[in-house]
Amino acid sequence: MILEALTSDRCIEGQGVIDGKIDAMHDRNVINSIVFLLAMSPCMDFLNWLEPDMSLNVLTCLDDPSDLVRVSSVSRSWRHFVIENDLCKKLCLRMFPQLSRVAGVVELNSPDAEEVAEIGSSKSKELETLEREHRVYAFLARGFISFNVRSSISKAISASSTDNYPEESIRNTLEPRVMVGQRASYWSSKGQSDPAVPEILIYKLVSDLVVINEVSIHPFQAFFQVGLPIYSAKAVRFHMGCAKSLVVVECDSKDESCHENKFVWTYTSEVFPMTQENRLQTFKLPEPVLCIGGILQIELLGRVQRQEMDGLFYICVSHVEVKGKPLSPAFGVEIHVPSGEFVLKNDVQAKLHNQQNLPENESIIISTVNLEDMRGMQPFVNWNVVGIEEEYQGEEEDGSDEEYFL
């Protein structure tokens, strides 16, 4: 784990760790020296041998949550080093920069809440905060890579325009079937003489925190019109964010208001070209995006199909699908508008419930490291990892530096 991190291209080239640079790691001779010492003396505690900044740079090269858990389980001093330097939080920020808006973290339904409050006088408030953040971000990082990908739309909120409401409502886009009963299922915009006029569709996702991987859109083909025209858009763009208030925004009505001013957008994608084809077209984001607030806006750019009977351009969508990783009920947010900052809430009971439902062999994601390289470090790093939550069981309050077992 440590050896692989040190010998990785990212660490050697000094990229992607702290503000994109690791000046201290530019010297290949220093890296080779550390690797040699670890290989020859696997029981050596290099955190005591290296300067704190160098140790921090080494451990920041780890990009798997499982590895950080293993590091924090080696000994009490290693665990304190991970916690005091916010390594789990920094890992989450590297994975999803949107978390830079977190104003604080809260643990809900924690069985240890009362005990912590009583013992609070013997610990510094700052250390308690760091330990809480470590627990929350450690599990959050694991959730990013281990929670299941599934369909993530909860409801349709509104459209910028609807030609015939409710027969051609945005709600129809949640139905994957082309026909429902005796009617075609699709949403249609109002007609426009200018093909450049865009349209907007807004959806509520299944969770306030969802890691979005891709969005799929199926343009509608009017099989009941001459020539079987397909009313696609020229291109599409996605916005993600949150509602400005807790008021539930209802689905579109007969007017053309799409309630866009009721939302704050924290992410905007690139523009993806759409083809004029009768199929579900998948738009994969360059990197997974953490949608904070659970609102997705689809911006349909440009019109390509003119309707023969009135000479106007329309956009019609048969189906919309979003694939992502919902992080509820373990995680939720409380958003402060208009600052855009939010409090990250971790429901400990929901977290434990999720873990109990995991198969025994999936209680933690195992890092894909080269085990041959790590065999020499086996006495030094505990490999009997079971789960993140068990990291904190059996912790003693004395100052000893014994090995932790997860």
Side-chain angles (χ1 to χ4, degrees), residues 308-328:
E308 185 175 340
M309 70 174 63
D310 61 9
L312 299 178
F313 290 91
Y314 291 80
I315 299 177
C316 301
V317 173
S318 175
H319 182 53
V320 171
E321 214 174 74
V322 175
K323 293 294 186 182
K325 296 181 179 181
L327 301 180
S328 63

Side-chain angles (χ1 to χ4, degrees), residues 95-248:
M95 296 172 74
F96 296 99
Q98 296 88 1
L99 288 169
S100 61
R101 294 176 176 268
V102 173
V105 299
V106 175
E107 287 181 309
L108 305 175
N109 301 319
S110 172
D112 301 324
E114 295 182 2
E115 179 181 352
V116 170
E118 294 176 0
I119 305 178
S121 57
S122 65
K123 287 186 175 182
S124 71
K125 197 69 176 177
E126 180 180 1
L127 181 58
E128 289 180 12
T129 300
L130 288 173
E131 289 180 343
R132 181 172 63 252
E133 289 187 345
H134 172 70
R135 290 192 297 270
V136 172
Y137 281 109
F139 183 71
L140 182 63
R142 175 174 173 252
F144 287 150
I145 61 176
S146 63
F147 282 19
N148 293 329
V149 175
R150 65 183 182 90
S151 180
S152 298
I153 291 184
S154 170
K155 63 177 290 186
I157 295 178
S158 62
S160 52
S161 73
T162 300
D163 193 33
N164 295 298
Y165 181 89
E167 290 81 7
E168 298 173 334
S169 166
I170 183 179
R171 297 180 204 177
N172 296 335
T173 63
L174 303 183
E175 172 58 59
R177 295 175 296 174
V178 176
M179 296 288 295
V180 176
Q182 301 298 317
R183 296 186 60 88
S185 176
Y186 64 97
W187 160 83
S188 174
S189 71
K190 288 186 178 296
Q192 297 286 343
S193 57
D194 182 1
V197 175
E199 293 288 346
I200 290 173
L201 304 177
I202 301 179
Y203 297 89
K204 178 76 175 72
L205 303 180
V206 295
S207 171
D208 286 340
L209 284 175
V210 185
V211 178
I212 302 297
N213 300 300
E214 62 187 38
V215 180
S216 300
I217 303 174
H218 191 160
F220 177 66
Q221 182 174 31
F223 55 84
F224 46 80
Q225 292 184 357
V226 177
L228 306 179
I230 300 173
Y231 291 93
S232 68
K234 286 185 177 180
V236 63
R237 179 165 52 201
F238 308 110
H239 304 267
M240 301 180 197
C242 62
K244 291 183 178 179
S245 71
L246 297 178
V247 177
V248 177

Side-chain angles (χ1 to χ4, degrees), residues 142 355-364 366 385-387:
R142 175 174 173 252
Q355 287 185 334
Q356 290 169 357
N357 289 338
L358 286 173
E360 184 176 349
N361 62 346
E362 293 184 9
S363 56
I364 193 167
I366 301 300
V385 179
V386 176

